[in-house]
Amino acid sequence: MFSTKMMIQFVRRSSLFALLFTCVECCIRPAPSVGNFTFASYYGDHMVLQRGPKQAIIWGYGPSPGSDVTVSLSGETPISVKVDKGNTWKVKLAAVTDTKPHTITAMSSSGTIMLSDVLFGDVWICSGQSNMVFIMRHLFNATEEIADAVNYPDIRIFTVGMEFSSVPLSDLKSVMESWSLPNKETVGGDGFFSAVCFLYGKRLYNKLKYPIGLVTSAWGGTPIETWSDTTALKKCNIPTFDNENNENNVLWVPTAPSLLWNAMMFPLTNMTIYGALWYQGEANAIPPANPNTYNCTFPAMISSWRETFHVNSEMQTDEQFPFGFVQLGPWKNDSSITTGFPDLRWHQTADYGYVPNAKMNNVFMATALDLPDFSSPYGGIHPRDKQDVADRLLLSGLTVAYGRNAGKYQGPFPTKYFMDTQSKTYLITYDDDSAEIDVRSEDGYEVCCSEIKTSDCSTEDSTWVAAPITDHDKQTVSISYKGCASPYVVAIRYAWRESPCPFKKCAVYSIENNLPAPPFIQHLAQPSDTLLYHSGNVVIPELIKH
């Protein structure tokens, strides 16, 4: 687990100070209230609530237990509810599919409170660490992007205050930016909004043509454990500490289990949402962190978020709501680093190499390993090109999250391996001959050479050797393992580097969508009497899961 000392080391090495402290000024407008009668903190004028067929949830406080509250949505029958013993009330509105502004009125013995200019559309939660925090002002072409924001008045944005708690909270402690229309100040000013979140929302709006609500809840430098509830962590045998003591001894980067889940995510789970975006993993990839637990903690966190949002929204948020994430990009301009980020990228997919998969249903991904920005003034770990990330999220999200046929939405992935023992090459087939590939470099493939047939490539009896591309066609690449002096080739891997290639110059791309092939590691069956030989060739008919 991460300690405060570990996180300070991470921050010093990854230049996170700029990202963490550029956006500390809060822009708080309290939810409308009359005395003790008020909406919860994340309701406000100009907000977006989830559109039909789902029903949006509205809740608030007071005026006193047992008293009556009547909530009216413009043009709909009023809904009456009693304030419970905890002094809260909660209603489920009728489903709304139109795109016009609405007014929501709540009445009690204390008076009347209202929400005006409320739109109904799709609500997305955006979470993670510093690359999700990364603001619009730091983008490439920031001036143009910020100036264009005003052209999207049907996109509404909201930013959760950076807080932590030892126990799950019913409401947010603070709001950094209340519901706002995008403009020069709200998107590009001193108050921040996530660049990845907004750029994805803008692209999504251009396709859907109805309102989009974007809620950012993120904190730089934080590991996945602090965004996970204790149930998810226990599934992965991650210790859950005494959070009360941790809360009293955490510096400015919370790292202890569940602290941010409790304060910055659980309070939102009463909302009806459409989906979530996640950009995190750097803090779990850097020693002394152990990236090899991420193949459990990430799917477990997704499952727990889905369950809690579904239950707390009175079953209105889908129990398998779409979840998109960004596979880690490059960091340092050093092609020799083969641990940390490469391991984490693989584990982000639960060791499948692609999503959706059997462990990560309704999950989509943007591969970013070919988008380095080594000269970024915010550190190479914080690339300024978030536009390509948003483009890739949109392409996969349209298919996975919305069921739209947008064509191929992932980069090429290998499905067959063919070993030629005479020429010492492997023929790798991508995507079952269903799409054409574009080969831009000879580099990126490696083979694991071993003295032991059953080696897992983790011991001194094995070594990884470069296996350059020697030939290729529309669906296949041939790689040479002539550099392998040991008797056995036990595995192949691709793009297994922290920073594997120059900008958009990795080895294999899809011609159809210009997406890079994601990294993979594949352990291989060895030639034996049970395999079929043809003129020195060995067909390896079955993929072996890593």
Side-chain angles (χ1 to χ4, degrees), residues 304-442:
S304 71
W305 282 25
R306 284 171 166 170
E307 181 179 3
T308 308
F309 271 95
H310 179 63
V311 171
N312 289 0
S313 67
E314 300 187 3
M315 318 305 173
Q316 291 308 299
T317 297
D318 195 282
E319 59 186 342
Q320 291 292 316
F321 67 75
F323 195 104
F325 71 93
V326 182
Q327 197 175 41
L328 289 190
W331 181 7
K332 295 182 287 291
N333 189 10
D334 182 348
S335 61
S336 69
I337 302 173
T338 61
T339 59
F341 273 40
D343 303 293
L344 200 287
R345 290 187 188 111
W346 182 247
H347 297 321
Q348 283 180 298
T349 67
D351 300 354
Y352 282 79
Y354 56 86
V355 291
N357 59 51
K359 292 183 179 179
M360 303 179 78
N361 178 51
N362 213 25
V363 173
F364 60 97
M365 174 178 78
T367 300
L369 81 168
D370 65 331
L371 304 176
D373 183 13
F374 302 126
S375 62
S376 171
Y378 315 107
I381 202 169
H382 301 123
R384 290 164 286 178
D385 174 20
K386 298 297 192 279
Q387 291 90 339
D388 277 309
V389 169
D391 287 340
R392 293 173 179 184
L393 280 172
L394 176 73
L395 182 60
S396 55
L398 283 176
T399 299
V400 175
Y402 287 93
R404 297 195 173 195
N405 184 5
K408 287 186 66 65
Y409 61 92
Q410 300 185 98
F413 199 79
T415 53
K416 296 177 184 176
Y417 299 81
F418 185 84
M419 182 182 183
D420 187 326
T421 56
Q422 290 183 338
S423 63
K424 289 193 171 183
T425 60
Y426 271 97
L427 185 70
I428 302 174
T429 300
Y430 278 88
D431 294 336
D432 287 326
D433 302 335
S434 63
E436 295 187 22
I437 60 173
D438 177 20
V439 176
R440 301 179 184 179
S441 169
E442 296 179 355

Side-chain angles (χ1 to χ4, degrees), residues 68-147:
D68 294 318
V69 172
T70 301
V71 180
S72 301
L73 173 67
S74 51
E76 298 292 337
T77 303
I79 303 170
S80 294
V81 65
K82 287 192 178 293
V83 179
D84 64 21
K85 293 181 180 179
N87 205 40
T88 65
W89 52 269
K90 186 177 184 181
V91 300
K92 184 164 55 177
L93 301 178
V96 178
T97 56
D98 64 57
T99 59
K100 66 183 181 182
H102 288 263
T103 298
I104 297 173
T105 303
M107 301 177 65
S108 75
S109 58
S110 294
T112 300
I113 54 178
M114 299 177 64
L115 302 173
S116 62
D117 188 31
V118 175
L119 301 180
F120 285 80
D122 285 347
V123 179
W124 284 82
I125 301 284
C126 300
S127 188
Q129 60 177 110
S130 54
N131 271 305
M132 185 60 85
V133 173
F134 194 96
I135 61 177
M136 295 286 287
R137 286 194 293 114
H138 294 161
L139 286 173
F140 284 130
N141 303 318
T143 301
E144 293 82 357
E145 292 284 4
I146 292 169

Side-chain angles (χ1 to χ4, degrees), residues 8 57 131 248 252 317 333 351 411 497 503 539 541:
I8 291 174
I57 302 295
N131 271 305
N248 294 329
W252 47 266
T317 297
N333 189 10
D351 300 354
R497 292 290 189 273
F503 188 79
V539 177

